[in-house]
Amino acid sequence: MTLRTLLVRLRTPFSALMTTVDDESPLISYQPRDAWVQHNVSTDAVAINFFGKTFTQTHQLNASLSFKFDGHSVTIYGSTNGSCRANIDGKDYSVSPPLSSQPAQPASLFAINTLDLGQHTITLTNLDATAVLTVDYILWIATPASKSGTLERVVFDDVDPSFHYQGSWTTSLSDTENFNKRTGQYANLQKYRRRLWLTLGAVLHRRRAQVSL
């Protein structure tokens, strides 16, 4: 995994905290892992049309992805030319996705914005062995519990002292032209982890949070 920055993006003050997670993020759990294939512009030219120029696909029956988030709204972008099922916290939801195996632009596979503000787990399962399920990115939203404070846009670069790296990380990367400040950290996710400690203040629940990948 290559770490560039951690970005907290806001639409407008007091409206919502919006976070985009790309398909290749380790925050998304793909099961079984060998049933999913990740693509970029080096392996498939169509990736140029996707967020982050990457997408992840499966054609295996019952292959699934899971993602945990803290908010009230979540949208999975991608496509399928078959059928799939969404499940949030043990409850199934119907899915009416755009029927395409290679969309020119990302489209919403599944979206819900009526959840209680809090921690949730969403799972998307492929129900068609003859279909291709494509995942582009996940967008989740949380509205602040209180409107008495202010929300800020915060960018943590990979060299920020808030990051605590464990294991063997390297800064010797070959293509950092598009990285923030042209710096990055790299490690084998099978062996190593990195942690970020930050204070969210009044953004969501006025609590200290630990992000561990």
Side-chain angles (χ1 to χ4, degrees):
M1 182 191 73
T2 303
L3 174 63
R4 305 181 187 182
T5 59
L6 177 70
L7 171 63
V8 178
R9 295 197 299 173
L10 305 175
R11 177 176 288 175
T12 57
F14 299 138
S15 65
L17 174 67
M18 305 176 63
T19 304
T20 302
V21 179
D22 199 14
D23 63 282
E24 62 179 359
S25 170
L27 295 175
I28 303 176
S29 175
Y30 295 98
Q31 298 296 329
R33 190 63 192 89
D34 59 2
W36 295 83
V37 179
Q38 292 181 335
H39 297 274
N40 54 41
V41 290
S42 298
T43 60
D44 195 323
V46 74
I48 193 74
N49 299 314
F50 289 76
F51 179 83
K53 298 180 181 180
T54 63
F55 62 92
T56 301
Q57 285 185 326
T58 186
H59 56 77
Q60 181 169 309
L61 179 66
N62 293 325
S64 65
L65 68 87
S66 295
F67 175 69
K68 295 181 179 180
F69 64 99
D70 196 330
H72 65 84
S73 173
V74 64
T75 304
I76 298 178
Y77 288 86
S79 69
T80 182
N81 56 352
S83 59
C84 53
R85 178 182 64 241
N87 181 286
I88 300 179
D89 304 330
K91 180 180 179 180
D92 289 339
Y93 291 84
S94 59
V95 179
S96 299
L99 296 177
S100 173
S101 60
Q102 295 287 352
Q105 297 295 333
S108 173
L109 269 171
F110 174 79
I112 187 169
N113 59 9
T114 57
L115 300 171
D116 292 334
L117 181 62
Q119 295 184 350
H120 303 282
T121 299
I122 183 171
T123 301
L124 188 69
T125 303
N126 182 34
L127 300 180
D128 191 339
T130 64
V132 177
L133 174 59
T134 303
V135 178
D136 188 7
Y137 65 94
I138 298 175
L139 173 69
W140 63 271
I141 303 173
T143 299
S146 171
K147 296 185 178 181
S148 60
T150 58
L151 300 180
E152 299 178 82
R153 180 183 185 274
V154 182
V155 176
F156 293 89
D157 192 49
D158 63 282
V159 296
D160 190 281
S162 297
F163 287 101
H164 300 277
Y165 295 95
Q166 297 180 345
S168 298
W169 289 76
T170 179
T171 57
S172 300
L173 303 176
S174 60
D175 185 12
T176 59
E177 181 177 350
N178 296 320
F179 284 30
N180 186 55
K181 298 182 180 180
R182 295 191 176 185
T183 63
Q185 310 279 338
Y186 176 81
N188 186 335
L189 276 179
Q190 299 299 319
K191 299 181 179 179
Y192 305 116
R193 296 153 62 87
R194 59 121 165 103
R195 292 183 178 179
L196 166 69
W197 291 88
L198 69 157
T199 301
L200 294 180
V203 173
L204 294 178
H205 299 295
R206 296 185 180 181
R207 68 188 181 194
R208 176 175 288 273
Q210 175 190 354
V211 179
S212 179
L213 300 179

